[in-house]
């Protein structure tokens, strides 16, 4: 399987869990890519941060925009993609299963409601 993981708002929220998860995936022969919208100039700092957390991966990719992660998922033929932002998952192809991760940036825990923009959310 080919797995894509967002960095900010996902890996940094539970690095302990993702250290274990990525170790198991990589040991099982699965491809793991980390996708981030950080400045590409931060590659060395980002690699050091991932290593410090014990997160294992095959490739690290820097998206040109939030929505560019969809292109990366298609080009890398990602089967499962984990992210926390609607802007990052809107252009992911339908062949990729998407897991939207809840955190304080996209969920109001006090009101128990998801947060999103009108542009990306249609109420039922």
């Amino acid at each position: 399987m080919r797995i894509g993981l967002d960095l900010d708002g996902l890996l940094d929220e539970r690095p302990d869990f993702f250290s274990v998860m990525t170790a198991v995936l990589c040991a099982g022969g699965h491809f793991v890519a980390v996708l981030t919208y950080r400045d590409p100039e931060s590659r060395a700092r980002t690699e050091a941060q991932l290593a410090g957390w014990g997160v294992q991966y095959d490739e690290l990719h820097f998206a040109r925009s939030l929505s560019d992660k969809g292109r990366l998922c298609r080009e890398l033929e990602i089967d499962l993609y984990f992210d926390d932002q609607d802007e990052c998952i809107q252009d992911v192809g339908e062949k990729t299963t998407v897991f939207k991760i809840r955190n304080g940036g996209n969920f109001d825990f006090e009101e128990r409601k998801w947060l999103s923009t009108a542009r990306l959310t249609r109420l039922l």
Side-chain angles (χ1 to χ4, degrees):
M1 231 183 261
R2 298 178 66 82
I3 315 299
L5 301 171
D6 172 44
L7 201 159
D8 297 306
L10 181 89
L11 294 178
D12 66 342
E13 295 275 329
R14 290 302 307 263
D16 55 336
F17 168 77
F18 287 106
S19 171
V20 172
M21 184 176 121
T22 57
V24 170
L25 288 169
C26 289
H30 300 285
F31 173 85
V32 177
V34 174
L35 310 181
T36 184
Y37 179 48
R38 289 184 176 184
D39 183 340
E41 296 295 319
S42 72
R43 177 175 288 276
R45 181 178 59 84
T46 301
E47 289 173 341
Q49 190 174 37
L50 292 167
W53 292 336
V55 171
Q56 296 182 33
Y57 59 94
D58 296 290
E59 295 179 6
L60 172 61
H61 293 269
F62 291 82
R64 294 177 233 153
S65 67
L66 293 175
S67 63
D68 187 45
K69 290 181 178 180
R71 175 191 61 83
L72 288 171
C73 284
R74 290 189 305 277
E75 287 180 5
L76 296 169
E77 298 179 339
I78 296 296
D79 297 306
L80 304 172
Y81 182 56
F82 297 77
D83 206 305
D84 64 306
Q85 291 186 341
D86 293 340
E87 292 85 353
C88 297
I89 60 178
Q90 70 181 358
D91 292 326
V92 173
E94 64 181 274
K95 290 183 179 180
T96 301
T97 300
V98 172
F99 293 88
K100 181 177 175 181
I101 303 303
R102 182 181 73 167
N103 61 32
N106 65 18
F107 190 80
D108 183 328
F109 287 95
E110 191 171 302
E111 291 189 28
R112 301 183 62 183
K113 292 183 180 181
W114 287 96
L115 306 172
S116 186
T117 63
R119 184 176 71 80
L120 294 176
T121 305
R122 181 178 64 198
L123 298 178
L124 301 177

